[in-house]
Amino acid sequence: AKENGKNNFQFYNAELHEIINRRVYIESELSKAIEKDQLELYYQPKVDLYTKEITGMEALLRWKHPKLGFISPQEFIPLAEETGNIVAIGEWVLKTACKQNKHWQEKGFDPLCISINVSARQFEHSDFINAVSKALDETGLSPQYLELEITESIIQNVSESKEVLNRLRSIGVKLSIDDFGTGYSSLYVLRELPIDVIKIDKSFIDNLTDSKNLSMIKTIIDLGLNLNLHVLAEGIEHEYQVKKLVEQGCSSGQGYQFSRPVSEKDFEALLLQSSIY
Ligand code: C2E
Ligand code: CA
Ligand code: CA
Ligand code: CA
């Protein structure tokens, strides 16, 4: 038994080592990902639930590493936050998304709003507002076609956040609250901050057959509409969800039911077909 215990210890120790090694390796590789051209943006359409037309898109980051393969943003974004690397990555995302959107407009597609995800560390960084203006200036994208998705949880200090958000708004970009309803302060955030869009979190959309959940969604939609906000449901995977949401007055959505996030090339094909769903 003693022998066994020792082996177990070595096993766990080795496993732990592997996790730490992967983490250290990822952190160091991530710092080179931009210059090595390993990052890519994928785009997921936002759809008008009545007409099924594409009304906008969310840019989602993808990292393809030559040895580790595809690494999910759920794994590497938190590590990039820790090392501070998220600031450089975030600027790359901003620039790339604006450039791509401008490019589609120049190609003659109807102008659409592109949204990008902003993480806490990036938002708190003193240079964030400059980075946004710079990306718009350098690419020539008009600010109305850029939306910043922010979660409730990144808003630590409301008065400071309010000032930053007001300045971003004065530039002319749109602001949305991502994963709405999952934080502790949803109502407070809505009351205090200058927001244009609510994105109802997927966890609410997942079980629309549950009556409690459905009343909450209805309340969120009504609240948003009464405050003159745009309300979008995320994570829609089935047609019955579309129907339910439309019944409740929600006119925008996003999810696998319409399309997964796709590459630039595939998104362009979607734009060409629009109203395909
Ligand atoms: P998020 O902003 O809440 O993005 C939605 C996530 O749900 C995306 O995962 C998307 O691919 C996925 N999704 C969309 N529709 C459906 C659906 O119908 N069903 C299911 N099961 N999933 C759906 P992804 O691309 O893996 O991104 C995960 C998270 O990583 C994002 O969550 C966001 O928090 C973060 N992230 C992604 N790109 C960036 C970025 O450029 N910057 C920052 N700071 N964070 C990012
Ligand atoms: Ca998002
Ligand atoms: Ca979300
Ligand atoms: Ca999320």
Side-chain angles (χ1 to χ4, degrees), residues 217-227 248:
I217 289 180
K218 185 163 177 40
T219 305
I220 294 173
I221 294 169
D222 286 345
L223 179 64
L225 298 179
N226 285 333
L227 293 172
Q248 308 301 333

Side-chain angles (χ1 to χ4, degrees), residues 101-121:
N101 201 19
K102 178 71 181 177
H103 179 69
W104 278 321
Q105 294 181 3
E106 281 171 343
K107 269 193 152 177
F109 293 107
D110 286 342
L112 299 174
C113 189
I114 194 163
S115 69
I116 62 159
N117 293 284
V118 178
S119 72
R121 181 103 181 233

Side-chain angles (χ1 to χ4, degrees), residues 1-272:
K2 203 180 167 195
E3 205 57 17
N4 227 337
K6 194 177 164 196
N7 281 340
N8 267 343
F9 174 73
Q10 283 174 340
F11 171 71
Y12 286 125
N13 204 16
E15 198 175 41
L16 191 61
H17 251 278
E18 214 170 279
I19 294 169
I20 293 170
N21 280 340
R22 177 173 165 95
R23 195 191 165 105
V24 169
Y25 183 62
I26 285 184
E27 286 180 351
S28 103
E29 288 298 290
L30 193 52
S31 66
K32 295 173 257 171
I34 296 177
E35 60 180 90
K36 289 192 171 169
D37 207 20
Q38 295 165 351
L39 298 180
E40 194 180 343
L41 289 183
Y42 267 40
Y43 305 91
Q44 187 179 37
K46 297 181 182 180
V47 170
D48 180 314
L49 297 180
Y50 297 94
T51 65
K52 311 286 168 90
E53 277 169 335
I54 297 177
T55 55
M57 59 283 207
E58 177 175 359
L60 292 154
L61 193 54
R62 298 292 176 256
W63 179 24
K64 190 111 189 281
H65 185 269
K67 288 209 184 83
L68 297 172
F70 170 79
I71 304 157
S72 161
Q74 318 235 59
E75 181 174 11
F76 74 79
I77 296 280
L79 298 182
E81 282 248 322
E82 242 169 63
T83 59
N85 201 230
I86 191 68
V87 175
I89 292 175
E91 282 178 15
W92 181 89
V93 169
L94 251 170
K95 178 90 184 285
T96 307
C98 289
K99 197 166 140 195
Q100 182 61 62
N101 201 19
K102 178 71 181 177
H103 179 69
W104 278 321
Q105 294 181 3
E106 281 171 343
K107 269 193 152 177
F109 293 107
D110 286 342
L112 299 174
C113 189
I114 194 163
S115 69
I116 62 159
N117 293 284
V118 178
S119 72
R121 181 103 181 233
Q122 197 186 353
F123 183 73
E124 285 158 9
H125 194 264
S126 59
D127 206 37
F128 181 60
I129 298 169
N130 274 335
V132 173
S133 323
K134 202 170 133 219
L136 292 167
D137 283 351
E138 286 180 4
T139 60
L141 182 72
S142 166
Q144 70 194 107
Y145 300 119
L146 177 65
E147 179 178 314
L148 305 174
E149 297 192 2
I150 286 154
T151 58
E152 297 163 44
S153 58
I154 81 170
I155 296 152
Q156 307 290 350
N157 178 327
V158 169
S159 64
E160 263 173 44
S161 305
K162 196 169 176 174
E163 200 188 311
V164 174
L165 293 173
N166 275 324
R167 288 177 61 197
L168 288 167
R169 247 219 176 158
S170 69
I171 294 175
V173 300
K174 295 204 174 69
L175 303 171
S176 65
I177 294 289
D178 201 357
D179 305 341
F180 185 81
T182 57
Y184 297 108
S185 52
S186 308
L187 293 180
Y188 187 60
V189 161
L190 267 197
R191 192 184 65 192
E192 297 299 324
L193 300 178
I195 293 300
D196 304 284
V197 184
I198 293 177
K199 296 188 79 177
I200 307 175
D201 190 62
K202 179 176 182 298
S203 59
F204 292 97
I205 311 305
D206 280 343
N207 52 44
L208 278 169
T209 46
D210 177 65
S211 65
K212 184 173 168 187
N213 208 36
L214 193 59
S215 343
M216 292 187 75
I217 289 180
K218 185 163 177 40
T219 305
I220 294 173
I221 294 169
D222 286 345
L223 179 64
L225 298 179
N226 285 333
L227 293 172
N228 278 321
L229 303 177
H230 191 81
V231 180
L232 178 141
E234 62 176 14
I236 301 175
E237 295 179 342
H238 309 283
E239 182 57 33
Y240 86 88
Q241 294 170 317
V242 177
K243 216 172 135 253
K244 279 268 189 231
L245 286 161
V246 165
E247 273 170 24
Q248 308 301 333
C250 179
S251 59
S252 283
Q254 200 181 338
Y256 295 172
Q257 165 69 12
F258 308 108
S259 169
R260 288 182 176 255
V262 294
S263 69
E264 167 198 342
K265 203 166 134 268
D266 291 347
F267 191 80
E268 202 169 304
L270 290 179
L271 287 177
L272 280 169

